[in-house]
Amino acid sequence: MDPTLAHRVTGNPDGPPVLLLNGSMMTMGAWEPVAAPLGETYRVIRCDFRGQLFSPGEAEPHLEAHTADVAALLDALGLERVHVAGTSFGGLVAVQFAALHPERVASLAAIATADRVEPDFWEGSARVREAALAAAVGGDGGQVLDLILPATYSPGYLAANAELLAAHRRQTALLPAAWYRGIAAIISSLEGLDLGPVLSRIQCPTLVLAAGEDRMFPLDRSRALAAAIPGARFEEIPGGSHAIVIEQPEEVARILLDFLETACRATPT
């Protein structure tokens, strides 16, 4: 079995490479409304983390393992240096990757992400992990979404997409036990996580893009993340939910394109 993360490369083959990293329950296809406009200029790489839908092997319950997987993917693609953007869990991996491998990151965009996992966040995450583990041994997998959705999406999005999300719940309940174990392992990697000690190592242009109504990673934690990274730019999407990549992809793409244009002038790959 090929140990490389499942991935997709699209966009301008001659453009600077941009790596997009998923949130914990995303899959790489969810980036499409952001990846498409980026791809007019950039070579866009997307992947599923180990433990997500398409990548092989069991996930390890440590953020460092996912960071190592990202490095191995770039090696497999022959990419020494890339622009990296990640949302939620993917933002945490992106931040750690930029801190541990500063020579490989031309710029960093951390979307709906924090500097550390607070006890309140972990309490809710632990409940999701327990629901995922129960689903892995025959429980109702839809309960994972029941716990996640209210904290992830805005009330307006939930109401407007109730039928679609109900279908998504039914589909999620049919996923194999391995997927639920993978989600549980990904969530376990967040327990006690504090990126504060490594943030000063980040050397590249950095954007911290926060959602004004994020109920998972609140604004003060996103602000703290930006404050701890030398020279980081902080930007907020007012009223945005934790799932801003899904709910407001046009705005996320616009902000990323502006940031990447500036970053490419400062640090060409």
Side-chain angles (χ1 to χ4, degrees), residues 174-193:
L174 298 174
L175 288 171
W179 184 83
Y180 289 104
R181 292 195 300 269
I183 292 301
I186 287 172
I187 293 171
S188 291
S189 71
L190 302 178
E191 186 171 8
L193 183 67

Side-chain angles (χ1 to χ4, degrees), residues 3-198:
T4 306
L5 296 178
H7 59 278
R8 182 182 306 166
V9 181
T10 58
N12 183 348
D14 299 316
V18 176
L19 175 65
L20 303 178
L21 297 177
N22 296 341
S24 61
M25 293 185 66
M26 286 174 65
T27 190
M28 55 185 143
W31 281 103
E32 185 58 31
V34 174
L38 292 183
E40 295 178 14
T41 303
Y42 300 97
R43 181 184 179 192
V44 180
I45 302 102
R46 288 171 275 174
C47 64
D48 275 9
F49 289 116
R50 212 167 303 284
Q52 294 186 325
L53 198 57
F54 293 112
S55 283
E58 295 280 339
E60 293 188 37
H62 310 288
L63 200 70
E64 293 81 3
H66 296 286
T67 303
D69 280 341
V70 169
L73 173 61
L74 297 184
D75 290 344
L77 293 173
L79 295 171
E80 294 185 5
R81 199 160 184 252
V82 297
H83 300 274
V84 182
T87 187
S88 188
F89 176 77
L92 297 170
V93 175
V95 168
Q96 187 180 75
F97 186 76
L100 299 183
H101 303 280
E103 74 286 354
R104 304 201 71 169
V105 181
S107 73
L108 167 66
I111 305 167
T113 305
D115 60 332
R116 67 172 185 252
V117 170
E118 296 278 50
D120 286 350
F121 174 86
W122 174 248
E123 183 179 337
S125 297
R127 288 195 295 270
V128 177
R129 180 180 63 179
E130 293 311 306
L133 291 172
V137 293
D140 178 11
Q143 290 185 5
V144 174
L145 286 191
D146 294 342
L147 292 168
I148 283 282
L149 293 183
T152 302
Y153 295 100
S154 66
Y157 183 89
L158 291 171
N161 294 276
E163 187 174 335
L164 175 65
L165 292 171
H168 183 39
R169 187 192 192 282
R170 292 191 293 272
Q171 292 166 347
T172 299
L174 298 174
L175 288 171
W179 184 83
Y180 289 104
R181 292 195 300 269
I183 292 301
I186 287 172
I187 293 171
S188 291
S189 71
L190 302 178
E191 186 171 8
L193 183 67
D194 184 357
L195 295 174
V198 302

